[in-house]
Amino acid sequence: MRDDDFATATKVSLAKRVGTRCTNPSCRKQTSGPAADPKGVINIGVAAHITAASTGGPRFDETLPKESRRSIKNGIWLCQNCAKLIDSDARAYTVKLLRTWKQLAEEEARIAVEGVHKSKKPSESEAP
């Protein structure tokens, strides 16, 4: 593992925070599921860096401290296809866009877990 790679716990958190779905709103593919072996799991998801981990990488930010490069704030969960896509065209897939994707996917996952959007919950005064 490189010094600027994500820790395993960070990768797991990135995946779970978006319900193990690709963060790209045009994709949202499920990234894990059962393997043929009853004990196995297939994973096609990857923890990608929003700003590159190394000099010369897509969206590299030289002002970002090394520890920040490997933090959860600089990570995004994607399927392998979308991870390749964003790194192949860094001008189209900007830091701002990727951070927006991440925020939207996390909000969607939170709403799915809650079962209802917070703004649609009855207020205490409306409750029976």
Side-chain angles (χ1 to χ4, degrees):
M1 180 167 111
R2 296 182 326 203
D3 287 345
D4 44 15
D5 281 344
F6 295 116
T8 301
T10 300
K11 293 175 187 179
V12 170
S13 290
L14 284 167
K16 287 182 176 183
R17 289 182 61 81
V18 294
T20 68
R21 293 190 172 276
C22 179
T23 300
N24 179 343
S26 298
C27 178
R28 300 299 287 143
K29 178 181 265 184
Q30 187 66 44
T31 62
S32 67
D37 175 350
K39 296 178 185 176
V41 175
I42 295 171
N43 176 50
I44 60 166
V46 294
H49 288 84
I50 294 173
T51 61
S54 56
T55 306
R59 298 168 302 279
F60 182 73
D61 179 357
E62 64 185 27
T63 66
L64 196 64
K66 186 176 187 175
E67 198 52 41
S68 295
R69 286 191 194 109
R70 59 191 314 253
S71 78
I72 197 164
K73 289 181 180 181
N74 191 41
I76 187 169
W77 188 256
L78 297 165
C79 70
Q80 291 182 26
N81 287 341
C82 290
K84 174 66 174 152
L85 176 71
I86 68 161
D87 285 351
S88 295
D89 193 355
R91 287 183 68 183
Y93 299 97
T94 63
V95 169
K96 182 178 179 181
L97 178 64
L98 298 180
R99 292 195 192 287
T100 299
W101 284 4
K102 181 177 179 177
Q103 180 183 2
L104 292 172
E106 288 181 350
E107 178 70 1
E108 181 181 306
R110 185 190 59 74
I111 290 168
V113 168
E114 288 181 353
V116 68
H117 193 282
K118 281 187 176 184
S119 67
K120 294 185 181 179
K121 287 182 182 176
S123 70
E124 289 182 14
S125 62
E126 295 175 10

